[in-house]
Amino acid sequence: MLTFEQKLEIIESFPELTRKDVSMKRVNFHFEESLYDKKIVVYHLHPNGNGFVYVGDLPHYEADSKGFVNIREFNEKELRSVIADALDYLSLEPEPPYEKTWTNREDVKLLLAYEEPFWNVYTGKNLEESFGTFDDAKEYLLDQGFREKN
């Protein structure tokens, strides 16, 4: 386990983060350039080595209900990685909603819409098919003779 001082040194190596001392000798680090209301990346880093990093709903972390992962047992590589992931998470624009009409030669129209977490194909208001990825939905539509309408 890294010491408090080692964790501070690693965290302070990220120039995007601003240190904020809080109660009981704990330290928070804020990301002022966050595109979201959430600014705290490192929360309550304590001299005993305990602390948390905000990862939101990133799938490869087991975060608590507020989106924080405990970093008490993290090694240097893990700590650097989770902070980099947090900064990416807070600085990337979300994908715009995808909703496009696809047509075939008979001018039949289907709507492909991304409705997290699925890619849904609609005939009018009726759900025809649902897919886990865009590529699967696209392959289905192409196989059925549909093309994306420009």
Side-chain angles (χ1 to χ4, degrees), residues 44-123:
H44 284 180
L45 181 63
H46 191 275
N48 70 9
N50 203 25
F52 304 89
V53 171
Y54 182 73
V55 293
D57 57 5
L58 288 173
H60 49 285
Y61 292 103
E62 291 186 33
D64 65 16
S65 62
K66 294 181 181 177
F68 286 95
V69 64
N70 191 301
I71 59 167
R72 181 180 186 88
E73 301 295 327
F74 278 31
N75 62 36
E76 180 178 353
K77 182 178 177 186
E78 292 168 326
L79 183 56
R80 287 187 185 283
S81 180
V82 73
I83 292 170
D85 288 346
L87 292 171
D88 285 347
Y89 183 78
L90 293 171
S91 60
L92 295 175
E93 295 272 352
E95 290 274 328
Y98 180 96
E99 193 169 290
K100 298 262 172 116
T101 301
W102 290 61
T103 59
N104 66 7
R105 290 179 184 205
E106 290 80 41
D107 204 33
V108 173
K109 293 176 177 48
L110 295 179
L111 178 70
L112 176 59
Y114 180 67
E115 298 167 344
E116 193 171 347
F118 300 107
W119 291 89
N120 296 321
V121 177
Y122 290 93
T123 304

Side-chain angles (χ1 to χ4, degrees), residues 35-48:
L35 297 178
Y36 304 92
D37 290 338
K38 177 53 95 182
K39 303 278 187 214
I40 297 176
V41 171
V42 179
Y43 178 70
H44 284 180
L45 181 63
H46 191 275
N48 70 9

